[in-house]
Amino acid sequence: MSDQQTIQTQPSLTTTEIMTILLGCEQTLRFVQASPNYKLLEASERFSTSNDLRLGDAIQAILEIHEAILDIEFYSQVEGETYAINNSKSA
């Protein structure tokens, strides 16, 4: 399957759907992070990532992306930009 075919078959998401998925991921990661078993894994001296990242870093990244999308929506509405992203258009 070519890249062109792959792109055409992927679902189109609204901004609201994207935001919902991001917040769901954030909540899921927080749930995992609070798990006693995960805490034990992360506390292990053998727990290592290539950039010393932890689950909290992923949560923070998702929150920053969410905030960036909110900023785009806010400034698009304030400035009346023609390219404003809203819930009726695909992202």
Side-chain angles (χ1 to χ4, degrees):
M1 180 178 274
S2 73
D3 288 339
Q4 186 68 19
Q5 290 170 323
T6 301
I7 291 171
Q8 292 175 350
T9 60
Q10 292 179 353
S12 179
L13 299 171
T14 65
T15 303
T16 299
E17 291 168 333
I18 291 168
M19 300 282 273
T20 300
I21 291 168
L22 289 173
L23 292 176
C25 290
E26 181 253 337
Q27 289 299 314
T28 300
L29 292 176
R30 285 188 187 278
F31 181 69
V32 170
Q33 186 181 39
S35 162
N37 286 336
Y38 179 79
K39 288 178 181 181
L40 286 173
L41 291 168
E42 194 174 86
S44 169
E45 65 183 40
R46 294 187 179 183
F47 185 89
S48 177
T49 63
S50 62
N51 294 318
D52 293 326
L53 297 174
R54 299 286 193 243
L55 205 49
D57 298 313
I59 294 167
Q60 183 62 36
I62 289 171
L63 292 173
E64 288 181 23
I65 291 166
H66 181 265
E67 186 67 30
I69 293 170
L70 289 175
D71 287 348
I72 290 171
E73 289 188 321
F74 174 78
Y75 288 112
S76 294
Q77 290 174 5
V78 168
E79 296 170 0
E81 298 291 337
T82 58
Y83 59 83
I85 297 173
N86 63 41
N87 294 332
S88 63
K89 294 181 183 176
S90 298

